[in-house]
Amino acid sequence: MPPVLGRQRQEHRCSSEQFELACPLLCLFPFLIVASALAGRSIADAVARHAGLSKQAAADVSQLFASSAATSNAVVGTTSMVFFVLGGIAAATALQQLYERAFGLDPRG
């Protein structure tokens, strides 16, 4: 195999460190969407404001997300709320373990 092809294969491999960094981010955005809806705020407005979108673009983004009332109604059930809280704790724990490994610290809990 030519050395260039071998190098390309190594560069395109996803290491476990990259995967571990991507997982908390993938968990963070749905968590923020639900938390924003429970607070009575629209995540679409926040995205449009932070991205500096025009009114038309903001309207297009708002069509991508359910209203905050619909989202909070879906989460209000006791079982859903328990899973939401436990999911948040699990995500925080995973992030803590990731930082402990990255900085070579002893596990703290």
Side-chain angles (χ1 to χ4, degrees):
M1 175 183 329
V4 172
L5 291 178
R7 217 175 322 139
Q8 285 178 342
R9 286 186 180 175
Q10 288 177 347
E11 290 173 3
H12 290 293
R13 261 189 218 145
C14 183
S15 69
S16 63
E17 291 85 17
Q18 290 171 331
F19 183 73
E20 288 176 359
L21 288 173
C23 284
L25 288 176
L26 292 174
C27 294
L28 177 68
F29 291 115
F31 183 80
L32 288 176
I33 291 170
V34 172
S36 175
L38 289 175
R41 289 183 243 135
S42 171
I43 192 70
D45 293 339
V47 168
R49 186 177 60 248
H50 289 300
L53 300 178
S54 67
K55 288 187 179 193
Q56 178 61 37
D60 293 339
V61 168
S62 68
Q63 291 177 356
L64 297 174
F65 296 98
S67 68
S68 61
T71 305
S72 62
N73 287 339
V75 178
V76 167
T78 305
T79 306
S80 297
M81 193 61 84
V82 167
F83 282 119
F84 179 70
V85 170
L86 291 177
I89 292 170
T93 303
L95 194 58
Q96 177 183 357
Q97 290 172 350
L98 177 73
Y99 278 109
E100 287 171 352
R101 279 191 305 238
F103 293 104
L105 300 172
D106 293 329
R108 296 185 181 170

